[in-house]
């Protein structure tokens, strides 16, 4: 199995490490790599868009000819998981986007950038997953807030009563950072569905 | 159902914030308009300042925290994180900036130090800090004090990369050296790296006519004894030995003036770059800003660096280190 992590900016290594660990635990062999160029999209089985600055990632994905190609692949069924900035990139509706910012528009959600506040309001809290009884430590860093779900998106993670993770067929979007914990259940969940 | 316990200001959140700016460029800006130019060029964050370092150098006098009103204007103008600088050791400025809600505080040698003995104990804050370091000793002391991110000091406001390169060598080679040392030898280094915390207590004993001796239970920095500091630093050194890198995000700063400078920093293993005077002191800031963002992204693709370096206009005018009146990097050990 070949998994690419979009590596134009952000916490790329953390996702590579978490994905490798998840593959080990699931007994899946394969490689996880830093994906920077459009050519590297060939023959991948799954793609992860990491956290970082969504304005920077969007800009560099356009510049590197990645944005349109990833959108096409997502529409034709390639499993893609985005966390934090990655969720913003995947969303169909974004509040607080800056001029010229473009997105993949693959997930039926409306998100609001930085809606939990600035860094001093960043927080950790236990989340409820729909597919596992054990709570999951959610790490929210200047996180986007999912303010509306429509169409085909389904919740997979809740903070209190609020949806903080969704899935829609081959696409998974999370407002928090599973790659900053040692818990690989969400990576495993994503890989299992992709495999 | 389980109880939802919410935590803020944890080590994970502070270091995590720094991880999110990896592979990016943090730009010095002095007003809302510059901040927007930086954001549109793809900066991952901006540093809100009264003056860029080159102008601080020129103006002389005491350089302090920027006017909070100015910082607020910049915070309102952009959606990316906003950082701001405090003087080394200045708790008053640090608490004020935390209350203002800046995303990260740079305890910076570019401003005039407030405390000639100590840096701020950064563990006392919810807001993450970045600090400059010239060598592994400085880096480890700042990490022990709770810095969530380290940057080279370089020599700010010069447009001269030589000091940043020196600082990267001094940190990287020292990390390599740790690999060949056993735990006892690393403990000796930890004792040495903890010595600067003794300067105040030794000065006091000297003034009082006492022999230069450290009391075992006597705190030397905040509530910490020398032994506790040594143990803390030793633990960090062992972690660095194992990771073969700093345990926090490590950026280059101080002298980056061109896309090739930025690429060089990344080639030397840095996680990203700060650009101070290099952008808004160049003849075409917008173009320079975009080019440096791309250079950090494509640092390992020489053809791209060559292409984006074309026709950028005048970079900032540089200064030779030997001819400087003030060496900012010497502030805060």
């Amino acid at each position: 199995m070949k998994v690419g992590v979009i590596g134009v900016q952000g916490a790329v290594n953390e996702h590579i490490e978490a994905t490798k660990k998840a593959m080990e635990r699931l007994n899946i062999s394969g490689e996880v790599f830093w994906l920077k160029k459009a050519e590297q999209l060939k023959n991948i089985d799954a793609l992860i868009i990491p956290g970082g600055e969504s304005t920077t990632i969007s800009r560099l994905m356009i510049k590197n000819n990645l944005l349109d190609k990833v959108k096409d692949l997502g529409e034709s069924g390639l499993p893609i998981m985005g966390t934090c900035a990655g969720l913003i990139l995947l969303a169909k509706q974004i509040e607080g986007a800056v001029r010229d910012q473009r997105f993949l528009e693959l997930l039926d959600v409306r998100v609001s950038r930085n809606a939990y506040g600035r860094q001093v309001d960043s927080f950790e809290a236990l989340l409820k997953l729909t597919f596992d009884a054990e709570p999951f430590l959610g790490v929210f860093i200047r996180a986007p807030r999912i303010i509306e779900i429509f169409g085909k998106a389904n919740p997979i993670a809740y903070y209190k009563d609020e949806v903080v993770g969704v899935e829609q067929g081959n696409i998974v979007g999370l407002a928090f950072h599973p790659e900053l914990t040692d818990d690989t259940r969400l990576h495993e969940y994503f890989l299992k569905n992709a495999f | 159902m389980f109880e939802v316990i919410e935590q803020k200001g944890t080590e994970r959140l502070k270091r995590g914030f720094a991880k999110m700016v990896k592979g990016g460029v943090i730009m010095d800006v002095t007003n809302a308009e510059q901040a927007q130019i930086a954001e549109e060029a793809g900066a991952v964050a901006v540093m809100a300042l009264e003056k860029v370092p080159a102008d601080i150098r020129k103006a002389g006098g005491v350089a302090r925290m920027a006017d909070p009103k100015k910082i607020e204007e910049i915070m309102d103008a952009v959606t990316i994180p906003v950082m701001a600088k405090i003087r080394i050791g200045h708790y008053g400025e640090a608490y004020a900036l935390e209350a203002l809600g800046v995303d990260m505080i740079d305890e910076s040698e570019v401003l005039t130090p407030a405390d000639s003995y100590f840096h701020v104990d950064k563990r006392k804050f919810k807001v993450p800090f970045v600090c400059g370091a010239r060598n592994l000793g400085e880096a480890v002391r700042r990490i022990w004090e709770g810095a969530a991110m380290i940057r080279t000091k370089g020599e700010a406001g010069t447009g001269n990369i030589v000091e940043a390169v020196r600082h990267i060598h001094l940190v990287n080679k020292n990390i390599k050296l740790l690999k060949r040392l056993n735990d006892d030898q690393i403990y000796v280094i930890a004792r040495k790296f903890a010595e600067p915390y003794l300067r105040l207590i030794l000065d006091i004993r000297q003034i009082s006519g006492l022999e230069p001796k450290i009391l075992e239970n006597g705190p030397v920095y905040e509530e910490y004894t020398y032994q506790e500091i040594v143990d803390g630093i030793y633990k960090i050194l062992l972690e660095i030995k194992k990771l073969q890198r700093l345990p926090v995000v490590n950026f280059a700063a101080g002298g980056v003036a061109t896309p090739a400078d930025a690429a060089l920093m990344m080639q030397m293993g840095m996680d990203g770059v700060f650009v101070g005077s290099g952008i808004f002191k160049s003849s075409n800031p917008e173009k320079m800003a975009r080019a440096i963002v791309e250079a950090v992204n494509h640092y390992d693709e020489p053809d791209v660096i060559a292409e984006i370096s074309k026709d950028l206009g005048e970079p900032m005018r540089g200064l030779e280190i030997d001819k400087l009146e003030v060496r900012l990097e010497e502030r805060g050990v």
Side-chain angles (χ1 to χ4, degrees), chain B residues 279 281-290 311-315:
Chain B
I279 288 168
K281 284 284 162 190
S282 71
S283 66
N284 191 341
E286 239 170 305
K287 213 168 163 188
M288 184 65 87
R290 280 168 199 264
D311 201 24
L312 289 174
E314 262 315 282

Side-chain angles (χ1 to χ4, degrees), chain B residues 206-252:
Chain B
Q206 197 204 357
I207 291 162
S208 312
L210 299 170
E211 52 181 314
K213 200 175 87 180
I214 311 304
L215 299 177
E216 240 169 67
N217 313 321
V220 295
Y221 167 76
E222 297 294 314
E223 62 269 39
Y224 302 96
T225 64
Y226 178 59
Q227 190 55 50
E228 285 169 334
I229 298 173
V230 171
D231 290 346
I233 285 179
Y234 176 62
K235 237 174 95 186
I236 296 167
L237 285 171
L238 290 181
E239 194 186 357
I240 292 172
K241 176 185 173 177
K242 196 173 128 208
L243 296 172
Q244 280 297 295
R245 60 154 292 147
L246 296 182
V248 299
V249 168
N250 186 17
F251 267 46

Side-chain angles (χ1 to χ4, degrees), chain A residues 56-74:
Chain A
T56 310
I57 295 175
S58 154
R59 206 189 128 67
L60 289 171
M61 281 183 74
I62 297 168
K63 198 86 195 171
N64 295 4
N65 291 320
L66 282 166
L67 197 94
D68 291 331
K69 288 194 173 122
V70 170
K71 185 173 165 61
D72 289 348
L73 288 171

Side-chain angles (χ1 to χ4, degrees), chain A residues 8-10 14 36-37 52-53 56 59 63-64 99 113-114 118-119 123-124 127 142 159 177 180, chain B residues 2 6-7 10 12-13 19-20 22 40-44 79 81 101 103 290 294 297-298 300-301:
Chain A
V8 293
Q9 192 273 317
E14 287 72 7
K36 210 160 81 170
K37 296 178 182 177
E53 260 319 299
T56 310
R59 206 189 128 67
K63 198 86 195 171
N64 295 4
R99 194 147 59 94
R113 284 187 65 206
N114 306 331
R118 308 193 70 95
Q119 172 59 17
F123 64 98
E124 297 177 12
L127 311 178
R142 285 174 51 95
Y159 162 55
H177 293 282
L180 295 184
Chain B
F2 50 87
E6 200 184 284
Q7 277 191 300
T10 63
R12 192 203 309 267
L13 290 166
K19 287 177 179 169
M20 296 309 142
K22 283 196 296 181
E40 274 169 34
V44 286
T79 63
D103 295 295
R290 280 168 199 264
E294 280 169 46
N297 182 225
H298 297 284
D300 53 354
E301 298 165 68

